[in-house]
Amino acid sequence: MQLLAMQVAIVLVVLASAGVLAVRLQSEQIRETYAGRVLTIARSLAELPAVREAYATHDPPSTLQPLAELVRESAGAEFVVFTDRDGIRYSHPDPANIGKPVSTDPGVALEGGEFVGTETGTLGRSLRAKVPVRDDAGAVIGVVSVGVLESELAADLADVVPPLVAWLTAAAFLGVAGAVVVTRLVRRRIHGLEPEEIAELLQARDAMLHGIREGVVAVDARGRLALVNDEAARLLDLKDDPTGRPVADVLDRDDLLPIAVGTDDHSDRLVLVGERVLVVNSSAARVDGRVIGRVLTLRDRTELFDALRALDGQRSITDALRAQAHEFSNNLHVVSGLIELGRHAEAVQFIERVGGGSGTVQGSALREIEDASVAAALVTKTATARERGVQLRLDPTSEVHDGAGDDVVTIISNLVDNAIDATGDGGTVELLVRHRGNGTVEIRVSDDGPGVPPEQRSRIFETGVSTKVPVNDHLGRGIGLALVARIVARRGGSITVEDRPGRGAVFHVTLPATVPRDGPRGVRVAP
């Protein structure tokens, strides 16, 4: 009802204003018409030869009074008055006023000018024109004044107002009827809600969208961002409100942009945005069966991704332990048999042979690794490699100062995991990590696996590209190397991947202590 009331109020105010303006314009038009009429009559009388001749006689009233009355009655004027230079009347509608001075100032006309205006005289308030009467020589010898009463102007205006009011009333009815129709259409579109209710719904929607802990991104049909809630802005590292900007200028071109501008729906798809692993769901937004855009929901799964990778490693370790337990049981049978046969020396030799070096990183090898997080990562990866039958060797020249940072740990973990997966049981992985004199961190990981196929080398740092068999899709294959590449790019470093002499692959990473002004050097793949 508020919408209808506002429209009706607008219609009535507009029509009332138009009516007042019309009446005012009509009043001015009537006044201008009468003013032109009385001025024309006065000029005509002032120029009549008979009037000039009457002024030259000894009894001007005898000629001018009949002439004035004739003109007054024929022209519909209220009065026609002739005066001399002293303002003494020669004519008047009331003959008793002849010979008496006029009640208004004739000064303008006596000075040779013309006057048109409203003044109050013996007959009442009237619109009058005063024109000088000149002799043959051009000298002013008198004044002729012609006027109509203001009441006559008001009567003419009153004759115009009723039709105008009737038209305005009809327009008001039409306007109100139109407002009713428009209100019904609008209320049908807004489901019968009042403006306050719509405002409350919008406020509640904004509060919910910006309060939930899941990122929401809405893209309209023109490819512009219609909505980005607080969580989405955080996950996408957006500093300013991007609403209204083209989606291609805001979202990650490699991973998230194809989902946002595409036409296919996606469910729980892992993408790498910056250095975050996000789970993205995308669906078309429809209104009355018409697609008006797309809605994306984003969930941060970086920590979950790391946990799943660790769980996958533990599963591999469990499988290896199960196999080793079976092998250990067989070895115990051998030892038991040798002891029962009294062949103790051979039993001791067998125990020494099967329980030899494990290929782990010893404490002496970690002596120059001052950063605790890097040292812990190396110990963990060594244990993982040992349980999977892989020998992990740390280059004795490795040296890491304290405070190397999480970036170094992330790069080592991903590269070593990939190398362990690539080399398999019985393989060897070599790791070099050291600080150079200028603060640059150098990381080199090599393995004796099958290496990286030449056709894959230009794409292995792209999200979703992997040379591994996808046994665990929930881990999001193709994320690790892409994450490493983005960290290196952010730090302004470089990565190279080469063939190891003989077989296998070598990944070489450099991380400068400070980001160069010319930006990151990116990823370089050796031919």
Side-chain angles (χ1 to χ4, degrees):
M1 295 302 294
Q2 293 184 7
L3 182 60
L4 176 60
M6 288 189 292
Q7 292 185 84
V8 170
I10 292 173
V11 169
L12 295 180
V13 169
V14 170
L15 289 177
S17 301
V20 172
L21 180 61
V23 170
R24 181 174 180 179
L25 292 176
Q26 188 65 33
S27 176
E28 292 178 355
Q29 184 177 359
I30 292 174
R31 181 171 296 275
E32 290 176 0
T33 301
Y34 274 98
R37 183 188 303 175
V38 295
L39 180 59
T40 301
I41 296 173
R43 286 175 176 173
S44 299
L45 291 173
E47 294 175 357
L48 285 176
V51 171
R52 295 175 183 173
E53 294 174 356
Y55 267 88
T57 63
H58 296 289
D59 187 14
S62 61
T63 303
L64 296 178
Q65 173 66 7
L67 177 62
E69 287 300 301
L70 177 63
V71 173
R72 181 180 68 83
E73 292 178 358
S74 60
E78 183 63 28
F79 60 85
V80 175
V81 175
F82 289 96
T83 65
D84 61 9
R85 286 190 55 83
D86 296 326
I88 302 300
R89 298 187 182 96
Y90 287 161
S91 66
H92 194 274
D94 183 2
N97 288 324
I98 296 175
K100 296 180 180 180
V102 294
S103 57
T104 58
D105 183 15
V108 175
L110 291 176
E111 292 177 358
E114 294 179 344
F115 170 81
V116 178
T118 300
E119 293 180 334
T120 302
T122 57
L123 299 177
R125 190 167 181 78
S126 59
L127 173 65
R128 62 187 67 191
K130 298 178 182 179
V131 176
V133 178
R134 302 176 185 274
D135 58 14
D136 294 336
V140 177
I141 57 177
V143 175
V144 57
S145 176
V146 180
V148 292
L149 292 177
E150 287 286 343
S151 57
E152 186 174 349
L153 274 67
D156 287 353
L157 181 62
D159 293 338
V160 176
V161 170
L164 179 61
V165 171
W167 281 107
L168 292 176
T169 302
F173 277 112
L174 290 176
V176 171
V180 171
V181 173
V182 171
T183 300
R184 288 181 177 177
L185 292 175
V186 173
R187 286 179 63 84
R188 189 179 301 121
R189 294 289 182 89
I190 62 176
H191 305 287
L193 297 176
E194 295 293 340
E196 291 82 359
E197 295 174 329
I198 296 175
E200 291 176 358
L201 285 176
L202 289 175
Q203 293 172 354
R205 188 208 67 164
D206 288 342
M208 289 187 295
L209 287 176
H210 292 287
I212 60 178
R213 300 189 61 183
E214 187 173 78
V216 178
V217 176
V219 182
D220 63 20
R222 299 178 300 170
R224 297 181 178 274
L225 291 171
L227 172 69
V228 177
N229 71 345
D230 294 344
E231 180 65 9
R234 184 187 71 83
L235 295 177
L236 300 176
D237 291 329
L238 302 179
K239 305 303 181 184
D240 300 324
D241 184 8
T243 303
R245 293 174 56 189
V247 64
D249 296 343
V250 179
L251 300 187
D252 191 294
R253 291 183 175 273
D254 295 332
D255 300 316
L256 199 55
L257 181 59
I259 299 176
V261 300
T263 57
D264 297 332
D265 293 344
H266 298 273
S267 178
D268 293 336
R269 177 171 174 179
L270 280 179
V271 299
L272 186 63
V273 177
E275 297 173 19
R276 283 192 174 94
V277 179
L278 303 182
V279 177
V280 180
N281 290 276
S282 172
S283 59
R286 292 181 172 85
V287 174
D288 297 332
R290 179 172 54 91
V291 176
I292 62 171
R294 300 199 67 80
V295 177
L296 284 70
T297 59
L298 313 175
R299 287 174 288 169
D300 193 353
R301 288 296 179 266
T302 304
E303 296 180 0
L304 178 60
F305 174 75
D306 294 339
L308 288 175
R309 285 179 60 90
L311 177 60
D312 187 54
Q314 295 301 323
R315 287 175 177 172
S316 299
I317 293 175
T318 301
D319 294 339
L321 288 175
R322 186 178 297 110
Q324 289 184 7
H326 181 72
E327 182 181 0
F328 183 71
S329 177
N330 294 333
N331 292 335
L332 285 180
H333 289 304
V334 174
V335 172
S336 176
L338 291 174
I339 292 175
E340 289 180 1
L341 294 174
R343 302 168 68 174
H344 299 121
E346 295 181 11
V348 172
Q349 293 177 358
F350 180 78
I351 292 173
E352 291 177 350
R353 187 170 63 253
V354 300
S358 59
T360 62
V361 176
Q362 303 298 328
S364 58
L366 296 175
R367 186 174 302 161
E368 300 301 327
I369 308 300
E370 298 178 359
D371 190 281
S373 59
V374 175
L378 292 177
V379 172
T380 301
K381 296 305 175 184
T382 300
T384 301
R386 182 183 67 248
E387 298 303 336
R388 296 182 60 179
V390 178
Q391 187 177 24
L392 175 60
R393 296 175 181 174
L394 180 63
D395 191 292
T397 63
S398 296
E399 178 185 4
V400 180
H401 303 323
D402 193 17
D406 295 337
D407 290 344
V408 174
V409 174
T410 300
I411 293 173
I412 291 175
S413 298
N414 282 281
L415 293 181
V416 170
D417 284 344
N418 285 346
I420 292 174
D421 289 340
T423 189
D425 188 13
T428 301
V429 176
E430 296 180 358
L431 169 65
L432 168 67
V433 52
R434 64 185 174 187
H435 266 100
R436 294 178 180 172
N438 58 0
T440 299
V441 178
E442 178 185 3
I443 302 170
R444 186 175 70 241
V445 177
S446 59
D447 62 71
D448 56 3
V452 180
E455 66 274 9
Q456 290 285 342
R457 291 183 185 178
S458 62
R459 300 183 60 244
I460 58 175
F461 296 105
E462 298 177 8
T463 306
V465 177
S466 176
T467 59
K468 304 174 187 177
V469 178
V471 295
N472 288 314
D473 291 340
H474 61 277
L475 293 178
R477 293 300 187 188
I479 296 293
L481 286 180
L483 179 59
V484 170
R486 296 196 181 192
I487 293 175
V488 173
R490 172 172 54 81
R491 290 284 296 268
S494 65
I495 310 175
T496 62
V497 54
E498 305 171 350
D499 284 332
R500 186 180 183 183
R503 59 180 305 191
V506 179
F507 286 83
H508 191 193
V509 176
T510 58
L511 288 181
T514 58
V515 178
R517 291 185 178 181
D518 58 353
R521 286 171 286 174
V523 176
R524 180 169 62 87
V525 181

